[in-house]
Amino acid sequence: REDSDIAIELGEKYGFRNAKVTVIAPTGTIGLLMDCDTTGVEPDFALVKFKKLAGGGYFKIINESVPLALKKLGYNENEIDDIIRYTKGNGSLIGCPHINPQSLTEKGFTKEIIKTIEKNLPSVFDISFAFNKYVLDSSFCKSVLGFTDEQLEDFNFNILKGLGFTKEQIDEANDYICGTMTVEGAPHLKKEHYTIFDCANKCGKKGTRFIQSDAHIKIMAAAQPFISGSISKTINLTNSASIEDIKNAYMLSWSLCLKSNALYRDGSKLSQPLNTVMDLEELEYEDSESADLISSTSDIVKVAERIIHRYIAKRRKLPYRRKGYTQKAKIGNHSVYLRTGEYDNGQLGEIFIDMHREGAAFRSLMNCFAIAVSLGLQHGVPLEEFTDAFIYTRFEPNGIVVGNPSIKMTTSIIDYIFRELAVTYLGRYDLAHIPEENIKISPVDSLAKTDEEIEFDEEEVFSERIIEEKVVKGKKPSKEVKTSQQLSVSIKTVPKDTGSEKAVIQEAILKGYTGDICQECGQSTMVRNGTCLKCMTCGSTSGCS
């Protein structure tokens, strides 16, 4: 209200300006440059978070609005200081329980090493980040602290634990130095004020509160009427979010007319830009059950990486005799033959592409392309990757597809090939034009024919033979030996153009269209536009604007 009153006052003094916001696209980087505590129309990720830097390390980000909010709520300076220290820590060894300059000196730490540790503490989000071989120096760790190279190279090795400190002592020191990263349980803070400081995720290891995803969406819905375009925002979900939660978030966004929402579940990437706690693989647990869980999880990742590496590095050859299918189709006036080869389990392993009536260079390039794709399939490249890379490519010939039961339009031969392979081997009927339940003929049925296709045209062949009258000397002319033979052969067929296509063209002509088919959308709604044609459905033209 205060900001609005100021805006009206300045407007009356200097004049109002019409401004129309088209889109809001919050990003983390620009928010940092603008000295913002949040990155747009959304709650903060956490009160204290850590941004991974591209060059390595972390950058500690603290919400600087917390002291202002506490002051607005009526807390005095001493109370505010206690709450802030509880949240973000003291960032110093001085006064720290258990782990402090005196206890470290007793274990052999020098003043220079302690100063180095003290310098790093304000930016770390766990005390162990300041006690490692990179901060303390490897030679000091080996010569003074007595650790071996094997211990220092082990990422699960904790130097503080190796020095004799217990887990409880380390945790207590960590809360003093780095803070709890949450206001929950802070001294002086009333519980009725907790909701003011809630964030998109649980704050720190001790935090339990967070804002539900529905609240994020409703915040955006309140601002959407004032924006002509849309709000581009990632809705943050907790790590425990289910598929049902994601579905409900999208449905609520749709019902509130929000068009540019994306969802992100905390921890769903191996590496994410913002973190509220330390990565699991870097934590140490004394109980065997937790340690085994973390160890087994890490082993699964390592084994998976090793299997993928070996699979890609070695070619998996096809058997000498293999199954597959041949699919003929016509794109424009070009006949395309697609042949496949399969492994024993039915997985696609190779493709062959043959073009009818094409130049040697084009056919050779298509053959080389097919070989390259086949080698990729045999080296473990998923068919999904090829499909995503090559569908929607556009070049001639393109347009209507004749002969394929599920694909009726294509933007290029490559687009057609990978649509056909995706439909047949991946069940990707979202790339087909005919629904699965409407396809009566299996694409791999060797006896399948196109609808109403018969192989010969009807024709009658006539031949005549006339034998001339012969006059033999001394004899009367024989009777007329002129004969006529007629041979009739009749073989039935139907025209190459199916009756359904003729019916579509005739119907289009009756409606006032030219009867031509649009090469972009496949509709027969073409009209004259100067010397060219224009599609009334999609607006594309045959050459003129």
Side-chain angles (χ1 to χ4, degrees), residues 233-247:
K233 180 191 177 306
T234 299
I235 301 167
N236 293 298
L237 301 171
T238 62
N239 184 260
S240 59
S242 64
I243 295 176
E244 192 68 21
D245 295 332
I246 293 173
K247 184 182 78 173

Side-chain angles (χ1 to χ4, degrees), residues 37-49:
D37 283 325
T38 61
T39 55
V41 187
E42 60 179 331
D44 197 4
F45 187 81
L47 294 179
V48 181
K49 54 268 182 192

Side-chain angles (χ1 to χ4, degrees), residues 201-264:
N201 294 281
K202 297 177 183 178
C203 296
K205 290 182 286 187
K206 295 185 177 181
T208 59
R209 301 172 58 88
F210 63 93
I211 298 176
Q212 298 289 342
S213 60
D214 288 2
H216 297 227
I217 299 170
K218 291 177 181 178
I219 290 172
M220 297 167 63
Q224 183 61 62
F226 302 96
I227 302 169
S228 61
S230 180
I231 304 173
S232 174
K233 180 191 177 306
T234 299
I235 301 167
N236 293 298
L237 301 171
T238 62
N239 184 260
S240 59
S242 64
I243 295 176
E244 192 68 21
D245 295 332
I246 293 173
K247 184 182 78 173
N248 293 335
Y250 275 129
M251 288 298 294
L252 180 61
S253 300
W254 167 76
S255 65
L256 296 176
C257 299
L258 299 175
K259 302 178 279 287
S260 301
N261 282 359
L263 301 182
Y264 178 70

Side-chain angles (χ1 to χ4, degrees), residues 281-327:
E281 57 267 26
E282 293 168 344
L283 292 174
E284 287 289 334
Y285 293 92
E286 287 192 344
D287 60 291
S288 59
E289 183 178 351
S290 299
D292 291 342
L293 175 63
I294 299 301
S295 177
S296 63
T297 304
S298 301
D299 290 342
I300 289 171
V301 174
K302 292 176 183 177
V303 170
E305 290 175 350
R306 188 159 56 247
I307 290 174
I308 292 172
H309 180 268
R310 289 186 62 188
Y311 184 72
I312 292 176
K314 187 176 181 180
R315 179 183 175 188
R316 181 187 174 200
K317 292 186 178 181
L318 286 155
Y320 285 102
R321 185 181 181 92
R322 54 260 200 180
K323 294 181 180 180
Y325 71 91
T326 300
Q327 173 70 56

